[in-house]
Amino acid sequence: MDLLEYQGKRYMGRWGVPVLDGGLASSPGDVLAVCHQVGFPAVVKAQVPVGGRGKAGGIRAVSHDGEALDTARRVLGMDLSGHRVDRVLVEPAVRPEAELYAALTIDRAARSELLILSSSGGMEIEQVATANPDAVLRVPLEPGAGVPAVEAAALGAASGAVLHRPGVVGSLNGVLKALYRCFTEGDAYMVEVNPLALLEDGSFVALDAKVVLDDNATYRHPEWEAMAAELEWDPRDLRAKRNGLNYVGLSGQVGIVANGAGLAMSTLDVVAQAGGTAANFLDIGGGASAAVMSDALQLVDSDPAVRAILVNIFGGITRCDEVALGIVRALSEVDLRSPIVLRLDGTNSAEGRHILAEQAGPSVTVSASMLEAAATAVRLAGATA
Amino acid sequence: MSIFLDETSVVVVQGLTGAQGRFHGLRNRAYGTRVVAGVTPGKGGQDVDGIPVFGSVASAVERTGADTSLVVVPARWATDAIVEAAAAGISLVVCITEGIPVHDAVRCHATLQSRFPATRLIGPNCPGLISPGKANVGITSGDIALAGGPVGIVSRSGTLTYQALSDLTERGVGQTTCVGIGGDPIPGTSFTDCLAAFQQDPDTKVVMLIGEIGGSEEEQAALYIRSHVTKPVVAYVAGLTAPVGRRMGHAGAIVSGGLGTADAKRQALSEAGASVADDPTQAADMVAAIAGAVAA
């Protein structure tokens, strides 16, 4: 789960990462009220789950009542990369002496936790990392040992004089320790502060916060449910999430249901090769029951763009007889619009095929192979378009 | 020969008394695997279809001589189960469980490395491994595999592993060992570990590598192939047309340096000398052609 900025800041704040005192607002009147609370000059920041908000005009500084109201009217309701802004975070404006970049994430290649730190924070950090790799410090971490104390010299010449002032590096290390606790105790896959602002008094404050929570750890964080409820969800995504399905909506005509992320991706690839386009990515996971299969079909069929559904199952822990029962169940529960093309191999596939032959009816075509199934589904999607 | 697993492997199933553990443990035994024990804390003394259940891996090892473990326990206990197996002297741990929190996986990996370097972990979130005709540990259906080699398979994706086995078997091409390393961010055994083992295995003449988008494991495999693998490698990478996920922050890009797309992986593998297929069926055809040429 990806948190919005204000959620990320509250989350980081729980472990002592310094953040500004700000407030959420969803109307121009509220924006003005929060501005009066935090004092002018203030910054109004659109709360949407996309990068590049500043460049797109979703982050603006305001210095008096008229400007605050005017900005609130302009930002609230604006569209940022397909997301309507209905909340803004209002914070006091600060004047950083330096902007750092700090992140903790999982380094898959090294199979360890990784601290990324740079004194050249800001919007161009990726270009910095490419053009001048030495300006970005990467520290693999010993699990459980926390973050080692960083020295100003390690940040290289780019750190300039500011980090060498007394107390500054100590203050930075305090922030990194808090960030590390948020990362590990908070079960985040990634935490990122960019920029991490150094203020005149030698203290630091997180001016932005990106937190990606590890969905696998949801069971030990009952408080995540309330945060999830504050996020906007595509109704299709929400339905998928409720049913434990891994669904991503796309724009094509061939609905996809597969077991396993790899097979689902491969199914998208072969549909493209057959000249079609996928309407979605849907992985029903391992060991799916008939009920899950039925839900998956109804979810995919509810997309009005879908003209045919390609079900690609290779049973391992998933049993093909359960898949077949799920298809039969979906057909009996609702009137599916789309014809189903099915590829069914692996565990109990003979039983599955038998169930379908006896009970499924003419809207289900069983293909002998994945490529044949893709070709048939693309043809049917075209024929009924 | 085979890698990691053969007819001498003696297997304990952690979680044998659960529905999945029972289904797959018994299926592995029916394949001919020496499944001699189960472990479920608090259920020592019971049995599952004649297989004795012990309260701990240590007691199972002591009584049965097990050297291999299949872990089929819920995610919140899985890493403890893996470490328990390693501490009991198990040399090969195969963890099927999906949904393990990533920080647990990192800690587990570090514990194995520092305290139990002799234990190999395969998975988690993987289908396990099968050395056809010898032993099957995991959730792969044994009847889609064919004994006798000459192909070694290593795959990050569960279902594409079955696809590969079945496609090769249909073409009459056998396998030495098929290893599903799993799709989690922190796999116990990497592509590179398997490539090294297949390179050493005299009966493996061709290696089939199945990757997917994300991470940089395929790029690392490509580096290894270039410098260490003389046997032919056929690769397929799923996700050429996969939707690009919404990207949060810059950390991922800084870590991977632009790696991770299917195109980047295909290019790296191709430049390393691997033959790169466009779909699983074509991959099987390419492997079959090479296997045929090797045999001739």
Side-chain angles (χ1 to χ4, degrees):
Chain A
M1 178 164 68
D2 298 348
L3 299 186
L4 292 168
E5 178 191 0
Y6 76 93
Q7 296 178 310
K9 283 181 170 171
R10 281 182 199 163
Y11 203 62
M12 287 182 181
R14 282 172 50 185
W15 284 276
V17 176
V19 294
L20 294 168
D21 276 330
L24 269 187
S26 50
S27 71
D30 288 351
V31 169
L32 192 60
V34 182
C35 281
H36 289 162
Q37 237 169 53
V38 304
F40 287 115
V43 181
V44 176
K45 309 179 81 176
Q47 298 299 294
V48 284
V50 293
R53 287 175 299 158
K55 286 177 185 167
I59 299 178
R60 290 161 191 263
V62 296
S63 52
H64 55 77
D65 285 10
E67 206 170 26
L69 284 171
D70 187 43
T71 297
R73 289 191 191 103
R74 242 187 301 169
V75 173
L76 285 167
M78 80 186 287
D79 180 282
L80 286 181
S81 309
H83 296 271
R84 205 173 69 96
V85 179
D86 46 30
R87 278 164 301 179
V88 292
L89 176 65
V90 182
E91 291 183 332
V94 295
R95 293 178 51 185
E97 300 220 327
E99 295 193 337
L100 280 69
Y101 172 94
L104 285 156
T105 189
I106 301 294
D107 182 352
R108 297 168 58 133
R111 296 183 230 182
S112 71
E113 299 156 349
L114 181 74
L115 166 69
I116 308 172
L117 190 62
S118 175
S119 54
S120 313
M123 289 188 282
E124 313 302 333
I125 184 67
E126 281 178 44
Q127 288 87 313
V128 172
T130 311
N132 184 11
D134 288 345
V136 180
L137 189 65
R138 289 157 231 241
V139 187
L141 305 179
E142 294 271 331
V147 279
V150 173
E151 289 172 32
L155 283 169
S159 67
V162 283
L163 288 183
H164 294 275
R165 277 183 5 216
V168 168
V169 165
S171 164
L172 174 61
N173 282 317
V175 174
L176 295 180
K177 278 200 167 57
L179 196 60
Y180 179 78
R181 287 188 58 204
C182 174
F183 176 54
T184 51
E185 293 168 29
D187 274 309
Y189 192 88
M190 185 206 74
V191 293
E192 181 184 80
V193 180
N194 185 34
L196 175 63
L198 171 62
L199 305 180
E200 204 178 352
D201 64 0
S203 67
F204 285 89
V205 67
L207 292 191
D208 194 4
K210 291 197 170 64
V211 175
V212 178
L213 297 175
D214 175 10
D215 292 335
N216 286 349
T218 304
Y219 72 85
R220 54 189 177 210
H221 294 280
E223 78 279 14
W224 288 3
E225 201 181 325
M227 296 195 292
E230 292 175 23
L231 296 169
E232 53 161 340
W233 298 94
D234 182 307
R236 293 182 301 181
D237 290 352
L238 201 60
R239 182 169 173 182
K241 197 177 156 66
R242 257 202 318 271
N243 294 316
L245 303 169
N246 179 8
Y247 176 94
V248 182
L250 302 168
S251 55
Q253 286 81 47
V254 181
I256 309 282
V257 177
N259 65 320
L263 189 65
M265 282 192 279
S266 193
T267 310
L268 261 61
D269 292 350
V270 295
V271 164
Q273 274 181 37
T277 47
N280 66 279
F281 168 99
L282 201 167
D283 165 19
I284 59 170
S289 64
V292 167
M293 186 64 209
S294 172
D295 283 343
L297 283 173
Q298 294 181 36
L299 172 63
V300 171
D301 192 60
S302 71
D303 178 347
V306 167
R307 298 279 178 262
I309 301 175
L310 171 52
V311 179
N312 190 3
I313 301 294
F314 207 119
I317 208 161
T318 304
R319 290 154 57 169
C320 293
D321 50 334
E322 283 287 319
V323 169
L325 288 171
I327 292 172
V328 170
R329 179 165 161 174
L331 290 170
S332 71
E333 280 176 2
V334 291
D335 191 15
L336 293 179
R337 295 176 301 109
S338 318
I340 296 171
V341 182
L342 179 73
R343 175 282 176 107
L344 198 60
D345 275 312
T347 306
N348 296 353
S349 60
E351 291 89 329
R353 286 162 187 261
H354 183 71
I355 290 167
L356 288 170
E358 297 234 304
Q359 303 176 39
S363 66
V364 178
T365 310
V366 179
S367 290
S369 76
M370 178 163 156
L371 295 184
E372 186 190 305
T376 306
V378 170
R379 185 170 50 73
L380 287 176
T384 57
Chain B
M1 290 219 338
S2 52
I3 66 168
F4 307 151
L5 178 76
D6 62 26
E7 65 278 15
T8 67
S9 303
V10 181
V11 180
V12 53
V13 178
Q14 291 173 260
L16 182 67
T17 55
Q20 296 287 358
R22 180 190 173 92
F23 181 82
H24 295 288
L26 294 181
R27 200 161 72 144
N28 286 170
R29 184 178 67 172
Y31 187 76
T33 314
R34 295 171 64 190
V35 179
V36 298
V39 169
T40 303
K43 293 195 177 172
Q46 300 185 4
D47 79 278
V48 170
D49 203 31
I51 303 172
V53 175
F54 298 86
S56 71
V57 182
S59 52
V61 168
E62 194 193 336
R63 296 284 295 283
T64 65
D67 57 11
T68 299
S69 168
L70 174 66
V71 177
V72 195
V73 306
R76 61 182 75 186
W77 297 294
T79 55
D80 284 348
I82 292 166
V83 171
E84 185 196 342
I90 295 284
S91 57
L92 179 68
V93 181
V94 180
C95 181
I96 304 306
T97 307
E98 64 179 320
I100 296 177
V102 70
H103 287 286
D104 293 5
V106 167
R107 276 191 291 273
C108 179
H109 175 72
T111 304
L112 292 183
Q113 282 223 307
S114 62
R115 290 175 53 203
F116 309 110
T119 296
R120 170 175 299 287
L121 170 65
I122 294 179
N125 190 15
C126 80
L129 75 171
I130 178 169
S131 294
K134 296 173 177 171
N136 183 10
V137 174
I139 61 179
T140 306
S141 170
D143 52 19
I144 56 173
L146 181 63
V151 182
I153 303 176
V154 57
S155 167
R156 232 172 98 186
S157 153
T159 32
L160 286 177
T161 313
Y162 315 144
Q163 173 83 40
L165 275 172
S166 152
D167 280 347
L168 290 180
T169 297
E170 238 171 52
R171 288 162 177 74
V173 180
Q175 308 93 33
T176 49
T177 300
C178 171
V179 189
I181 59 172
D184 270 11
I186 312 288
T189 291
S190 66
F191 276 132
T192 303
D193 297 331
C194 295
L195 286 167
F198 281 133
Q199 174 68 22
Q200 293 285 315
D201 174 36
D203 292 341
T204 300
K205 309 291 186 196
V206 192
V207 180
M208 185 175 189
L209 183 151
I210 301 162
E212 57 188 46
I213 52 170
S216 59
E217 287 86 345
E218 289 78 6
E219 287 86 343
Q220 288 180 301
L223 286 176
Y224 189 82
I225 290 169
R226 184 192 291 261
S227 54
H228 292 90
V229 179
T230 56
K231 296 177 180 178
V233 177
V234 173
Y236 167 67
V237 180
L240 210 53
T241 57
V244 180
R246 191 176 67 225
R247 206 174 64 110
M248 281 284 286
H250 305 282
I254 293 172
V255 173
S256 66
L259 306 176
T261 65
D263 276 327
K265 291 172 187 298
R266 286 164 55 94
Q267 191 181 343
L269 288 161
S270 173
E271 283 171 8
S275 311
V276 179
D278 293 330
D279 61 65
T281 308
Q282 189 189 27
D285 287 337
M286 289 161 77
V287 171
I290 296 171
V294 170

